[in-house]
Amino acid sequence: MKMNLSYSLKFAKSLIFPKAEKKSIARKSLFGAVLCIGLSIVPLVVVTSVTNGMIDGMTERIIGLSTSHIQAYVAPNISKVKTVEAFTKYTAEATGVRGVVAAYPEVEISALAAGKNGRSGIEIRAIEPDIFVRNKSFAKLFEVCEGELGDFISAGGEKLGIIGQKLSKDMDLHAGDTIRIITTRSVGENNERIVPKLTSFKIAAVVSSGYQELDQFWVFIPLESAYSSLSMESANYNIMIETQDAFSPELVAIQKRLADIFGRYANVYRWDQIHTAEFENFSSTKVMLVFVMMLIVLVATVNISSAIVMLVMERQKEIAILKSIGAKPRGITFAFLLAALSCGAGGLIIGLPVGILLTIFSNQLVHGLERLVNWFSTMGGGGEVHLMDPAYYLSEIPVEIPVNQVILIAVAVLLLSVLVSYLPSRKAGREKPLDILRKN
């Protein structure tokens, strides 16, 4: 009798679910291996999903709120940036380039801010007030913690500003308060003396992007107020340029077209050129986390190999009988590999749904755990604990199930289950019936 595929499948089924109800250590080991694989897949799915969500959320904020898709750094001493009207007109030239959706002028000035609770270095971002409505990223990603953005947008000639939540807490400043901004200017015949210039702004709103490392020193003021009230000697003139898709292959071609339009008056860079270090760090962190999690899965799949070894020892008589009536070695080997593959599949059936479910409710779980930790901390006289500190992470985890990576995890687990079980399965197929019967 030739042991074809159907007989291999039947034998594999009998290995996992034998008809005779008897105690089997090997069978218990198989189900234990299934449970171990399932438990190891859960953190792998959660870590992969949360890491992807975090990195994508940070990337979205860095691109949308900091540099946009493409940024042009304009020379500071040219006539095109001497007045608000000239700079706005120069910015509008970018919107005529094919592939450009919108362009926003911006003036950046490093300064010192004074508030109720000391002083702090800040980064002034002078922008057109309606950017918080016109720009999709600004409208979507900034959350208003205090005040109203409408006051800032319709300010007219009034000196209003918007500050970040972290700066608000550090300096004890709130909507309606006054923030004093200190810039420097040179005086004298040869500009030999540097003197401070103090300008006060009323805080219209306090905002947060959910990522403090990005926005903790930002102070937004109207573009007109920067030109009329601040010292512009150390100002940097930028143009934030928005395209249809920040990840489009066309971004390089758009960059070249913009460089041709601006000529020698501006240097044009894509977002991935400006933030190369950050995104390389994100990528390496992501790869390392997935690698560590896959090692855990590998250790769990080794349990299948041990269970298959025990199963071969328990089923030696059956193997001898099957081979004595014509079963091929590869048929026996294939049956044990199918049993190992079934164990890997069983682990996936347990681990994937649980991992996906925990990912979907990750924010609720983190906040619940945070409340529990803070309750114990309060009972012990300790301070408040933030598990998702926005100084290092996003305040909310963007829930994202990476379908492609989940499929890759499933395929990897199945392959590992077969690979680690190949040697004991091959040994089972090469057993000689006479030797088995003589031993037993």
Side-chain angles (χ1 to χ4, degrees):
M1 180 188 73
K2 291 185 178 181
M3 190 172 184
N4 55 25
L5 180 60
S6 63
Y7 284 100
S8 295
L9 291 172
K10 289 178 181 178
F11 184 43
K13 181 181 177 181
S14 70
L15 292 175
I16 303 173
F17 305 106
K19 293 181 180 180
E21 293 294 332
K22 60 180 181 179
K23 292 183 179 180
S24 172
I25 298 176
R27 191 182 173 201
K28 291 180 180 178
S29 298
L30 277 177
F31 288 120
V34 170
L35 184 61
C36 288
I37 291 174
L39 292 176
S40 66
I41 289 172
V42 171
L44 177 59
V45 172
V46 172
V47 168
T48 303
S49 302
V50 169
T51 303
N52 278 348
M54 281 288 188
I55 290 176
D56 289 348
M58 291 175 183
T59 301
E60 183 183 20
R61 283 159 175 78
I62 290 173
I63 296 173
L65 304 180
S66 179
T67 59
S68 198
H69 303 175
I70 297 174
Q71 186 157 28
Y73 296 91
V74 185
N77 297 317
I78 62 174
S79 60
K80 297 179 184 294
V81 298
K82 289 298 181 183
T83 64
V84 176
E85 293 77 13
F87 191 22
T88 305
K89 184 178 179 182
Y90 187 49
T91 300
E93 293 180 14
T95 58
V97 175
R98 181 163 52 88
V100 173
V101 174
Y104 309 95
E106 177 187 12
V107 176
E108 290 185 356
I109 304 172
S110 296
L112 186 67
K116 299 177 183 178
N117 191 19
R119 299 179 179 183
S120 173
I122 60 170
E123 181 182 349
I124 298 173
R125 298 185 62 183
I127 54 174
E128 294 175 313
D130 62 351
I131 192 174
F132 286 93
V133 177
R134 289 169 52 208
N135 188 294
K136 293 180 181 179
S137 296
F138 274 66
K140 172 187 174 184
L141 300 175
F142 273 125
E143 178 188 356
V144 179
C145 305
E146 294 180 32
E148 295 289 341
L149 287 178
D151 297 337
F152 180 79
I153 295 170
S154 59
E158 192 177 359
K159 294 178 183 177
L160 295 179
I162 294 175
I163 65 174
Q165 188 179 32
K166 179 68 164 55
L167 191 65
S168 169
K169 289 181 179 179
D170 290 345
M171 302 186 68
D172 193 21
L173 291 172
H174 304 279
D177 292 343
T178 299
I179 181 171
R180 290 167 292 168
I181 295 176
I182 304 169
T183 52
T184 59
R185 58 190 177 91
S186 301
V187 296
E189 293 183 1
N190 299 315
N191 294 328
E192 69 277 3
R193 288 190 299 121
I194 297 176
V195 297
K197 182 178 182 180
L198 179 65
T199 311
S200 296
F201 287 84
K202 181 181 177 182
I203 299 173
V206 177
V207 298
S208 173
S209 68
Y211 185 32
Q212 281 184 10
E213 189 174 339
L214 182 67
D215 64 10
Q216 60 182 327
F217 299 117
W218 286 351
V219 174
F220 295 98
I221 64 171
L223 196 61
E224 293 83 355
S225 298
Y227 273 91
S228 62
S229 304
L230 300 182
S231 171
M232 305 290 281
E233 289 183 5
S234 60
N236 296 314
Y237 301 88
N238 308 321
I239 300 175
M240 297 186 294
I241 299 161
E242 187 178 353
T243 65
Q244 199 68 38
D245 182 10
F247 300 92
S248 171
E250 286 292 316
L251 206 62
V252 176
I254 297 171
Q255 178 192 16
K256 290 180 180 178
R257 290 195 285 268
L258 286 166
D260 293 337
I261 290 292
F262 289 128
R264 59 190 178 90
Y265 295 116
N267 295 319
V268 182
Y269 298 98
R270 302 186 309 275
W271 65 268
D272 56 331
Q273 294 175 314
I274 300 171
H275 300 288
T276 302
E278 290 95 326
F279 294 110
E280 285 183 354
N281 182 41
F282 288 161
S283 299
S284 59
T285 301
K286 180 178 176 180
V287 170
M288 185 57 66
L289 284 171
V290 173
F291 176 72
V292 171
M293 292 297 105
M294 283 304 297
L295 285 180
I296 296 174
V297 175
L298 177 60
V299 171
T301 55
V302 171
N303 291 328
I304 296 180
S305 179
S306 302
I308 293 296
V309 170
M310 298 178 68
L311 195 62
V312 170
M313 294 174 64
E314 280 190 358
R315 298 303 184 94
Q316 282 186 332
K317 288 184 179 181
E318 292 180 38
I319 294 171
I321 294 170
L322 288 171
K323 295 197 74 174
S324 65
I325 61 176
K328 295 293 184 181
R330 63 174 176 269
I332 300 289
T333 300
F334 185 60
F336 280 97
L337 288 177
L338 283 176
L341 186 66
S342 300
C343 288
L348 289 172
I349 292 172
I350 295 172
L352 284 181
V354 176
I356 292 172
L357 197 64
L358 289 178
T359 300
I360 293 172
F361 294 99
S362 54
N363 283 302
Q364 292 87 336
L365 290 171
V366 169
H367 292 321
L369 184 60
E370 189 175 87
R371 285 193 291 269
L372 183 63
V373 170
N374 282 321
W375 183 77
F376 281 110
S377 178
T378 304
M379 294 292 288
E384 190 175 1
V385 178
H386 295 284
L387 297 180
M388 295 300 298
D389 193 335
Y392 311 103
Y393 313 102
L394 297 179
S395 56
E396 291 287 327
I397 302 172
V399 176
E400 177 183 332
I401 306 298
V403 178
N404 292 336
Q405 292 188 20
V406 169
I407 294 173
L408 185 62
I409 289 170
V411 172
V413 168
L414 294 176
L415 285 176
L416 284 173
S417 301
V418 173
L419 288 175
V420 299
S421 306
Y422 177 73
L423 289 178
S425 300
R426 185 167 178 265
K427 184 179 178 182
R430 298 178 69 178
E431 291 279 8
K432 296 179 179 180
L434 290 177
D435 292 340
I436 296 173
L437 294 172
R438 191 178 297 116
K439 290 177 186 177
N440 294 278

